[in-house]
Amino acid sequence: MRTTSQHEIPIAQPLITDEEKRRVLDVLESGQLAAGRRVAEFEQAFSAYVGAAHGIGTSSGTTALIVALQAAGVGPGTAVITSPFSFGATASAILHCGARPVFADIDPRTYNLDPQAASDALARTPGARALLPVHLYGLPCQMDALLQLARAHDAIVVEDAAQAHGAVFGGRRVGTFGAAGAFSFYPSKNLTTGEGGMIVTDRAALADRARVLVNCGQRAQYVYEELGYNYRMTEIAGALGCAQLAHLDARNARRRRNADRLRAGLSGLEWLTLPFEPPGCVHVYHQFTVRVPRVRDRLARHLADLGIGTRVYYPQPIYASPLYRRLGYGDTHCPEAERAAREVLSIPVHPALHEAELDRIIEAIRRFDARG
Ligand SMILES: Cc1ncc(COP(=O)(O)O)c(C=O)c1O
């Protein structure tokens, strides 16, 4: 039951400025609603921002992943090592390519694919030829270890960077380490186009194939070179993306400042583990996720009663869903992913938060009786 008359603090809140609204209206008035010059401009600007040579706009992060994997050569017979502690699209994209996800456990401190677990999975899986690491919550994976592993096994790397726009590992932005990276621009993300996504890559041939796949298999109009899809980005999304990109660094910096404040305010609570940022990584705090053994759900209810939105990303590993049970993953167990699913809670960190709201969140958590 709600015990407060204070306003709700949502877990996510898209920020859309008047300038961004004006750019969308311009598109509506232009008559050019399907992909045109604004999508091309956004592809160019976003890929340049992350440091990749090519960008291909898509209808979502899910479709970006499917096409990135397929254009990188993942198909029937390929086993792809990935994290079970992610949004379902990470694994369903592999299935959509006719390939097979192989789940390897996560590092309990970062919640990202554990390079040692990935190595074990590669070694024991015949046909394992690809890695799909996920930069979860905006924190880069240990890309040096994962790339080394990929080289040793002659495996392709595609990055699921859906939650990590602008995040940096070893001085480089994520999405640029593997053969390709896939981003999502869903409304809760650090950069949104409503729905939308992008594939980024340095490989001209991969980019070319991705562009054909996204556009119904056509290079020239009505000439179908392969079995493609309509996964194109709309011009409205392209215009919004260009405008949002101008704010990305400032909004990421704001997320990091909010995270610093939460971190300082919540330090010293022995029942709660704060997010970890390994050396050499710049976390962009798509989520600020704490670990709360035993009393996670009670803390979430306590915060809801005080008007503070929280979410569990994710309440179970992907392989525990009915689809994966039916596909024969009943024996898969990743103990760290399962433990994280029981213990994690994401609290608001988005750039629309005011100082007073951050203080309210901190005070509400500090007041929680974890022993009760
Ligand atoms: C890790 C991850 N991968 C893939 C996706 C899929 O992106 P979209 O929702 O844009 O299809 C998401 C988005 O929620 C995500 O968080």
Side-chain angles (χ1 to χ4, degrees):
M1 194 193 22
R2 287 287 306 279
T3 56
T4 177
S5 57
Q6 284 180 298
H7 68 274
E8 297 275 344
I9 304 177
I11 181 71
Q13 190 175 325
L15 280 172
I16 310 287
T17 62
D18 287 346
E19 163 67 8
E20 289 166 74
K21 290 175 195 164
R22 194 187 58 72
R23 297 255 206 133
V24 169
L25 271 177
D26 283 351
V27 176
L28 294 176
E29 283 165 7
S30 76
Q32 170 72 44
L33 304 189
R37 72 172 170 79
R38 293 167 183 91
V39 169
E41 194 187 321
F42 182 42
E43 289 172 337
Q44 208 286 322
F46 187 78
S47 56
Y49 171 83
V50 298
H54 309 276
I56 300 96
T58 60
S59 52
S60 71
T62 304
T63 56
L65 272 174
I66 295 169
V67 171
L69 288 166
Q70 209 175 321
V74 170
T78 314
V80 183
I81 313 295
T82 194
S83 169
F85 196 56
S86 182
F87 181 60
T90 304
S92 65
I94 298 169
L95 292 173
H96 278 299
C97 296
R100 182 164 57 91
V102 174
F103 298 106
D105 211 349
I106 56 167
D107 176 331
R109 290 197 304 172
T110 62
Y111 307 107
N112 282 333
L113 192 59
D114 174 5
Q116 185 56 53
S119 171
D120 296 345
L122 269 172
R124 68 163 187 267
T125 311
R129 293 258 319 290
L131 287 171
L132 179 56
V134 184
H135 307 294
L136 199 72
Y137 305 143
L139 177 67
C141 294
Q142 292 299 304
M143 290 312 299
D144 48 356
L146 292 173
L147 289 177
Q148 203 178 8
L149 199 58
R151 272 194 296 273
H153 290 265
D154 199 19
I156 303 157
V157 176
V158 173
E159 297 167 68
D160 183 340
Q163 302 189 359
H165 320 69
V168 173
F169 178 83
R172 238 167 92 181
R173 293 207 165 111
V174 302
T176 60
F177 290 91
F183 289 86
S184 161
F185 305 128
Y186 182 76
S188 63
K189 299 297 195 279
N190 295 31
L191 185 162
T192 185
T193 60
E195 296 275 10
M198 198 175 298
I199 301 155
V200 297
T201 182
D202 278 339
R203 302 186 182 188
L206 192 156
D208 182 61
R209 177 139 191 250
R211 214 169 267 295
V212 169
L213 284 170
V214 161
N215 189 26
C216 303
Q218 307 168 97
R219 188 183 314 276
Q221 203 172 24
Y222 309 130
V223 181
Y224 307 102
E225 295 190 8
E226 62 174 315
L227 183 60
Y229 318 91
N230 175 0
Y231 286 166
R232 293 181 303 257
M233 175 174 269
T234 69
E235 190 73 342
I236 297 168
L240 191 48
C242 286
Q244 285 257 314
L245 184 57
H247 298 285
L248 180 60
D249 279 341
R251 289 174 181 168
N252 279 347
R254 186 61 193 264
R255 285 176 185 270
R256 286 182 58 80
R257 276 206 306 282
N258 291 348
D260 284 347
R261 191 167 176 134
L262 289 170
R263 208 180 266 292
L266 298 175
S267 67
L269 297 173
E270 77 290 343
W271 51 269
L272 173 148
T273 305
L274 292 165
F276 176 56
E277 186 180 37
C281 288
V282 179
H283 197 320
V284 290
Y285 291 101
H286 171 56
Q287 299 297 340
F288 187 94
T289 302
V290 297
R291 187 191 276 276
V292 187
R294 221 175 35 78
V295 290
R296 187 266 314 270
D297 293 341
R298 195 157 62 74
L299 174 63
R301 282 196 300 275
H302 164 80
L303 293 175
D305 287 347
L306 295 170
I308 297 167
T310 64
R311 283 286 275 274
V312 175
Y313 300 110
Y314 294 92
Q316 56 180 12
I318 294 172
Y319 57 72
S321 278
L323 167 67
Y324 293 86
R325 297 275 157 189
R326 281 203 304 279
L327 291 174
Y329 287 84
D331 292 333
T332 301
H333 283 295
C334 295
E336 291 300 345
E338 290 171 19
R339 188 162 70 89
R342 290 193 299 273
E343 297 181 350
V344 293
L345 188 67
S346 297
I347 63 177
V349 73
H350 56 79
L353 288 173
H354 299 293
E355 306 286 298
E357 292 174 320
L358 287 161
D359 289 343
R360 243 180 83 194
I361 295 165
I362 291 165
E363 200 204 315
I365 295 176
R366 295 203 79 92
R367 264 186 14 214
F368 176 66
D369 181 3
R371 291 157 310 163

